Amino acid sequence: MVSEKKDIRALSKEELRSFFVSIGDKAFRGTQVYEWLWSKGSHSFDEMTNLSKETREHLNENFVINHIKVDQIQKSNDGTIKNAVKLFDGLIVESVLIPTKKRTTACVSSQVGCSLDCSFCATARLKRMRNLNPDEIYDQVVTIDKESRLYHDKPLSNIVFMGMGEPLMNYKNVLESIEKITSDEGLGMSPKRIVVSTSGVPKMIKKLADDEVKFNLAVSLHSAIQETREQIMPFAKNFTLPDLRESLEYWYEKTNRKITYEYIVWKDINDKWEDIEALVTFCKYVPCKVNIIEYNPIDEGHFQQASSEIIDDYIEALEHYRIPVTVRRSRGKDIDAACGQLANKQ
Ligand code: SAH
C-alpha cells in the first residue's frame, strides 16, 4: 500500500532546514538529515544516530523514505548485471551495470514505460505509466555503484540515461537527479561522465543548452531522412529533422560540446546509399560523432540488422569525411539487458 506520509526526499535541503525550525529545533538538523538521506543513502530514520530518539520518532510519524528495492538481479555471462527495481507504488523499472576493462557504466531508466513510440524498441510497447522521481533515478545509480564495487572491485565510472523512458520528457526530475549525482553531498561524480540520450525533442534540447548543463548529449537519430525516420519513430512527425537540426546547432553554439548520434542500420530500412549520404550531410551541421549500435531483436521479424558490408560502407563514408565513428557491440543480450530490450519481461 502506498503510504499517505510525504516522501522526505522530495524536500530540498532548505525545506528540511525550515521544517526543523518550524518544529522548534535547529536548522542544522535539516542539514544532518539531508546528509543521511543523500550522502549516506539511509533507508530508515533509525539509522540517523546523531538525532535524538524523539526526533527520529517525529520523522517516522511524518515522513517515509521511498527507497527503491531490488526485486530481481540477473547476471549475464559477459558480466552485465540487470536489476529489476521495485518502486514504492509497486511499479518496476530496470537498470543495468555494464562492465568493460576500463570502465563500469550504469544504464538507468527515467520513466516507467515510455511516452514515445519507436517501433523497434521493447520499452515503447509498455506505454508511459509515470515519470520517475529524482530520488528513484538517484537510487538506481547508488545501487549500481554498490554492485560495481562488489562484483568488479571498482566504483562506477560512467552513467548513461539509456534505460527505459525518454529523459527529456521527464526533464525536471532527470536534471534534479543529475544535480544530486554530481554534487558533493551526493555521489560527487563528474558530469563529463554522464550521457543523456534523447530520441530528439528539439524544444528540450534548447532548454538544456539554456540551462547550461555540463553533461553530454546523445541523440538517437537512426535516419537522417524525414520520411524514413517517421516510419520507425512516429513521434518524429512532430519533432522534425529541420527542428532537430536547429536545436542541435543551438546546443553547440551555447555549450561547445560535440553531440553523439546513435544509429542502427536495418535491412530494407536505412541500408541504401541515399541513407548514408543523408547521414553524412546531417553530420556536417554540428560537430559530432556517430555511434553505430547493434540491433537487438525484440521479436520475430520486422526489423533485421543490415549486413556487415553495409555497416562497413557507412563507416567508410563517415571516415572519409572525418566524422568519428564507433561501433557498439551489445552487452547482456542473454538476459534481455541490451539497448531496447528493457521491458519488465518477468
Ligand atoms: N529514449 C531515449 C533513451 C532510451 S533508448 C532515446 O531514445 O535515446 C536508448 C538507446 O537504445 C536509443 O539510442 C535507442 O534508439 C536504442 N534502442 C532502442 N531499441 C533498440 C533495439 N531494439 N536495439 C538496439 N538499440 C535500441
Side-chain angles (χ1 to χ4, degrees), residues 116 118 166-167 197-201 218-221 229 233 235 239 244:
L116 300 179
C118 304
E166 168 50 47
S197 175
T198 174
S199 48
V201 188
V219 174
S220 303
L221 190 61
R229 199 161 186 266
M233 303 164 89
F235 68 87
F239 303 139
L244 181 61

Side-chain angles (χ1 to χ4, degrees), residues 111-117 122-130:
Q111 297 180 314
V112 188
C114 189
S115 18
L116 300 179
D117 48 9
T123 308
R125 306 199 171 158
L126 295 174
K127 303 296 169 218
R128 187 197 79 102
M129 282 171 261
R130 71 168 171 87

Side-chain angles (χ1 to χ4, degrees), residues 9 38-39 41 43 67-68 70 83 85 87 93-98 104-110 132-150 154-163 173-174 176-183 186-190 193-196:
R9 291 191 301 169
W38 296 104
S39 324
H43 290 212
H67 219 279
I68 63 166
V70 178
N83 297 314
V85 300
L87 311 172
V93 291
E94 295 177 331
S95 45
V96 184
L97 164 67
I98 308 153
T104 52
T105 303
C107 175
V108 297
S109 294
S110 55
L132 293 189
N133 296 323
D135 49 274
E136 293 171 326
I137 300 171
Y138 181 83
D139 286 352
Q140 294 175 61
V141 176
V142 173
T143 303
I144 292 182
D145 181 43
K146 284 187 187 144
E147 290 173 347
S148 177
R149 290 166 199 269
L150 180 65
K154 51 188 172 192
L156 185 65
S157 62
N158 295 72
I159 302 172
V160 294
F161 280 75
M162 294 187 190
N173 293 353
V174 165
E176 254 181 71
S177 73
I178 295 177
E179 182 68 42
K180 292 262 159 45
I181 292 165
T182 53
S183 80
L187 294 177
M189 274 182 79
S190 162
R193 296 181 169 274
I194 301 176
V195 178
V196 170

Side-chain angles (χ1 to χ4, degrees), residues 9-68:
R9 291 191 301 169
L11 268 57
S12 66
K13 193 177 4 171
E14 273 324 303
E15 285 166 339
L16 270 175
R17 287 170 64 87
S18 313
F19 168 76
F20 278 98
V21 173
S22 78
I23 59 167
D25 206 330
K26 301 270 187 326
F28 79 88
R29 291 262 175 253
T31 308
Q32 285 178 321
V33 171
Y34 192 85
E35 279 166 7
W36 279 109
L37 292 172
W38 296 104
S39 324
K40 299 179 193 152
S42 292
H43 290 212
S44 90
F45 296 114
D46 300 327
E47 292 169 36
M48 305 184 179
T49 44
N50 56 358
L51 305 181
S52 71
K53 196 156 167 278
E54 291 71 44
T55 309
R56 280 182 267 155
E57 268 165 19
H58 192 80
L59 289 174
N60 260 323
E61 278 159 23
N62 288 280
F63 298 103
V64 284
I65 305 174
N66 280 334
H67 219 279
I68 63 166

Side-chain angles (χ1 to χ4, degrees), residues 110 114 116 118 120-122 161-167 196-200 218-222 233 235 262-264 266 293-298 328 330 338-341:
S110 55
C114 189
L116 300 179
C118 304
F120 48 87
C121 179
F161 280 75
M162 294 187 190
M164 300 165 105
E166 168 50 47
V196 170
S197 175
T198 174
S199 48
V219 174
S220 303
L221 190 61
H222 303 315
M233 303 164 89
F235 68 87
E262 296 162 277
Y263 202 99
I264 304 173
W266 288 284
I293 0 184
E294 192 182 325
Y295 174 59
N296 303 307
I298 55 164
R328 187 167 82 205
S330 290
C339 271
Q341 292 187 314

Side-chain angles (χ1 to χ4, degrees), residues 155-259:
L156 185 65
S157 62
N158 295 72
I159 302 172
V160 294
F161 280 75
M162 294 187 190
M164 300 165 105
E166 168 50 47
L168 299 193
M169 295 288 203
N170 183 15
Y171 188 92
K172 189 171 155 282
N173 293 353
V174 165
L175 260 64
E176 254 181 71
S177 73
I178 295 177
E179 182 68 42
K180 292 262 159 45
I181 292 165
T182 53
S183 80
D184 288 337
E185 276 157 343
L187 294 177
M189 274 182 79
S190 162
K192 293 196 187 103
R193 296 181 169 274
I194 301 176
V195 178
V196 170
S197 175
T198 174
S199 48
V201 188
K203 206 170 105 191
M204 301 324 267
I205 292 173
K206 284 186 171 173
K207 185 160 166 48
L208 285 176
D210 286 335
D211 288 342
E212 297 178 10
V213 298
K214 299 285 181 281
F215 50 78
N216 296 300
L217 183 65
V219 174
S220 303
L221 190 61
H222 303 315
S223 173
I225 298 174
Q226 178 63 25
E227 207 186 332
T228 308
R229 199 161 186 266
E230 275 178 26
Q231 261 172 35
I232 52 177
M233 303 164 89
F235 68 87
K237 284 190 189 80
N238 303 319
F239 303 139
T240 64
L241 284 170
D243 288 350
L244 181 61
R245 171 188 173 176
E246 197 211 328
S247 71
L248 295 171
E249 286 167 344
Y250 187 83
W251 158 275
Y252 188 76
E253 207 175 287
K254 289 231 160 175
T255 67
N256 234 352
R257 281 204 306 285
K258 262 191 192 176
I259 291 148

